Amino acid sequence: MAKLWIGVDIGKTHHHVAAVDGDGRLVYSRRVANDETALLTVMAEVSTHGRVVCWAVDVTTGLSALLLTLLWRRQVQVRYVSGTVAFHMAAAFAGENKTDARDAVVIAQTIRMRPDIPILEPSDRLLAELTVLTGYRADLVGQRVATLFRLQELLTGISPALERAVDLNMKAPMMILACWQTPAAIRHAGVDRITALLRRGHVKNAAQVAEAMVAAARQQTVTLPGQRAAAVVVGQMATEILAIEQRIAAVDDLIADQLDQHPLAPIIGSLPGMGNLLTAELLVHTAGMTEYDSPAKLAAHAGLAPVSRDSGTVSGNHRQPRRFHRRLRHIMWMAAFTAARECPTSRAYYERKRAEGKNHRQAILALARRRVDVLWALVRDRKTFIRPAPAIHAAA
């Protein structure tokens, strides 16, 4: 019976399914709606053309969730052909047309010729929920950053002194700007009234923040062009940022609840620098630390291992990788950066690399690579990281 490789170009409302045999001949091609009945029909039709070796998709997000679930329930092997891989593989086939049908054929041909394409495994319930929560939190943070940037611009147009007076990343200034936006309004409110507002919001150093804002408001008596409209928008944006921060805090609580149920969370979280968010993202982007059979492969995927660049008689050259999981590298970088400040062992390793002549960035990357080995050993042995006891110096 002929062997078949199935490629699927994923879409929102429709997918395109293509099947090739062992000789690379196209034996099936069809556009199918993204609903259960249609997908089951295609699965049955494909099986009549031969024995299916595996399926492959180019998207692993919610667009392909229904298809992947149906395939995994039938214990079908599914591989992931990334958009970058499919783009480069397309050049190996005749023609320059870009259609869903051709993309599906390229995906099918790729898994037929390349057995190294990674296999997708079903996500368990906890990882699926952490994926949704961490993605939603990233969206909220992006929304907050964009809103804050625009608010800073508008506030500068109202009063540069107010914009400089306090850190707008803090809660207290947002509470004040949600109520009073112009120098005149802040002066009229006064220190006592603003302090009372901040204390009701459980803000530390409420009096100092109020005094700083009122002092900045007293530095400007003129009204700038467009101030009235800008004040209305600033007030709305400040209220919106406060609401976003509440939603982020609520999502953080949900992430913490999910981590309490994951067996690897206490192990990963014990490593210095790994807070709840980084632990959750690491579990999401490594499929629960199940995608790698060695720490070297995890380091390579995170872009922490150099790649060879030899040619002819020149050997031993290495360079930074260009194709790696950038979010995973960011997680490792942030954890190492935090650990270099808080953990004596990590700090000592960082200082040693600096003494060897590495700059700050290189030393942090070296520390991140070293921590991959430590993390791998902890997960393998199911042990938590034990911080070294502080040295006790004898009295002089």
Side-chain angles (χ1 to χ4, degrees):
M1 193 174 187
K3 295 182 179 180
L4 297 179
W5 286 264
I6 317 297
V8 186
D9 182 69
I10 299 296
K12 180 180 179 181
T13 59
H14 290 80
H15 309 319
H16 200 101
V17 180
V20 298
D21 61 16
D23 296 324
R25 291 190 299 264
L26 180 64
V27 298
Y28 184 87
S29 180
R30 178 182 166 183
R31 188 168 183 259
V32 56
N34 187 17
D35 64 66
E36 183 173 352
T37 302
L39 292 174
L40 291 175
T41 301
V42 167
M43 293 178 191
E45 291 176 355
V46 168
S47 63
T48 63
H49 291 267
R51 181 176 65 84
V52 177
V53 176
C54 68
W55 289 62
V57 297
D58 62 342
V59 173
T60 60
T61 59
L63 298 179
S64 61
L66 177 58
L67 173 63
L68 292 177
T69 301
L70 294 174
L71 290 173
W72 283 328
R73 283 186 176 181
R74 285 155 181 76
Q75 298 183 341
V76 176
Q77 185 184 95
V78 186
R79 294 179 179 267
Y80 171 53
V81 179
S82 68
T84 302
V85 171
F87 173 78
H88 289 290
M89 288 294 295
F93 304 99
E96 298 183 8
N97 292 332
K98 176 68 172 68
T99 64
D100 293 345
R102 187 172 190 270
D103 290 345
V105 173
V106 170
I107 294 170
Q109 296 283 18
T110 299
I111 58 172
R112 180 181 69 88
M113 296 185 293
R114 291 187 53 180
D116 61 317
I117 297 298
I119 298 174
L120 291 177
E121 299 292 345
S123 299
D124 63 23
R125 180 187 62 83
L126 287 176
L127 287 182
E129 293 182 354
L130 283 174
T131 301
V132 173
L133 293 174
T134 54
Y136 178 50
R137 188 187 190 281
D139 292 340
L140 289 175
V141 171
Q143 183 179 350
R144 181 189 184 279
V145 170
T147 305
L148 179 60
F149 180 80
R150 181 59 176 151
L151 184 147
Q152 289 175 318
E153 182 181 3
L154 289 171
L155 186 59
T156 302
I158 295 174
S159 171
L162 283 177
E163 195 277 332
R164 295 192 304 265
V166 289
D167 184 1
L168 293 178
N169 286 297
M170 306 302 291
K171 175 183 177 182
M174 288 300 126
M175 293 180 62
I176 297 172
L177 292 175
C179 297
W180 308 283
Q181 301 82 36
T182 65
I186 292 175
R187 289 196 303 269
H188 183 267
V191 174
D192 293 340
R193 189 176 176 187
I194 294 176
T195 301
L197 170 71
L198 297 180
R199 285 176 176 169
R200 287 196 299 271
H202 307 287
V203 173
K204 295 181 180 179
N205 302 322
Q208 291 88 332
V209 175
E211 290 172 358
M213 290 290 283
V214 172
R218 289 171 179 162
Q219 297 178 23
Q220 179 176 321
T221 58
V222 299
T223 300
L224 301 184
Q227 176 176 290
R228 181 179 300 178
V232 173
V233 177
V234 166
Q236 293 177 353
M237 285 186 170
T239 302
E240 181 180 349
I241 289 175
L242 290 172
I244 292 174
E245 290 176 346
Q246 291 179 348
R247 290 157 66 186
I248 291 175
V251 173
D252 286 341
D253 291 339
L254 292 175
I255 290 175
D257 291 340
Q258 295 298 324
L259 287 178
D260 288 340
Q261 305 176 48
H262 200 287
L264 292 183
I267 298 173
I268 298 174
S270 68
L271 195 64
M274 294 295 298
N276 279 348
L277 179 59
L278 293 182
T279 298
E281 290 191 335
L282 181 65
L283 288 170
V284 167
H285 293 296
T286 61
M289 293 291 290
T290 59
E291 292 190 344
Y292 318 95
D293 55 14
S294 70
K297 289 188 176 181
L298 175 57
H301 194 200
L304 299 175
V307 296
S308 299
R309 192 178 185 181
D310 297 342
S311 178
T313 59
V314 179
S315 61
N317 283 351
H318 296 87
R319 64 168 175 82
Q320 288 292 326
R322 296 172 183 168
R323 294 194 297 270
F324 54 88
H325 196 305
R326 300 188 182 279
R327 188 60 193 175
L328 185 56
R329 179 171 178 166
H330 175 76
I331 294 169
M332 298 298 187
W333 168 278
M334 291 301 299
F337 181 81
T338 304
R341 294 184 300 172
E342 299 179 354
C343 175
T345 304
S346 296
R347 185 67 187 181
Y349 187 89
Y350 169 83
E351 295 291 354
R352 186 163 76 248
K353 291 301 175 182
R354 291 303 303 269
E356 294 173 1
K358 297 184 182 297
N359 59 33
H360 170 72
R361 177 178 177 275
Q362 292 170 332
I364 292 293
L365 288 175
L367 175 60
R369 174 63 184 91
R370 178 70 184 95
R371 284 163 52 88
V372 169
D373 292 335
V374 176
L375 176 63
W376 184 267
L378 293 175
V379 173
R380 179 196 61 200
D381 300 336
R382 292 296 192 269
K383 294 182 179 179
T384 57
F385 182 84
I386 301 177
R387 295 175 181 264
I392 301 177
H393 300 284

